[in-house]
Every structure is written in C-alpha cells, then in structure tokens.
Amino acid sequence: MSGAFSKAFDLAQEAADTVKQSAADGASTVAIQVKEMLDRQVGSGAVMGRLPVRRWQAKQ
C-alpha cells in the first residue's frame, strides 16, 4: 500500500508544481502587458507622477 501512496503523493506534488508554474507564468505575462501599456502611454505623451487637473478644480 505504501507504493500506491507514494505514487499518489508524487502525482499530487507534480500537479501542485504545475499549478504554481502556471500561476507564475500568468503573472509574468500580465506584468509584461502592463509594462508595455505604460511604455506606450509614456511614448504618446502621458505625464507620469501627476494626476490630471479637473476644470472645476482649476477654477477654485
């Protein structure tokens, strides 16, 4: 019975490792996409570090 338990444990460990790797790959993909989006915005004239001033705020 210990052989079957060991095999089941190994399969569960492999599945967990696969899930962890998939999550890491997904997070990396999102990070790359966000960086590319920010790079495009900065390249098109976006100002970093400043929030836009609304018209009603500017009149006060």
Side-chain angles (χ1 to χ4, degrees), residues 23-60:
D25 291 347
S28 177
T29 299
V30 169
I32 289 168
Q33 290 174 346
V34 168
K35 181 187 179 305
E36 289 173 351
M37 178 195 65
L38 292 173
D39 287 346
R40 282 192 304 272
Q41 287 180 347
V42 169
S44 67
V47 178
M48 294 187 65
R50 292 178 49 191
L51 295 175
V53 177
R54 294 188 182 132
R55 291 181 191 178
W56 61 269
Q57 288 176 325
K59 291 179 184 179
Q60 294 179 356

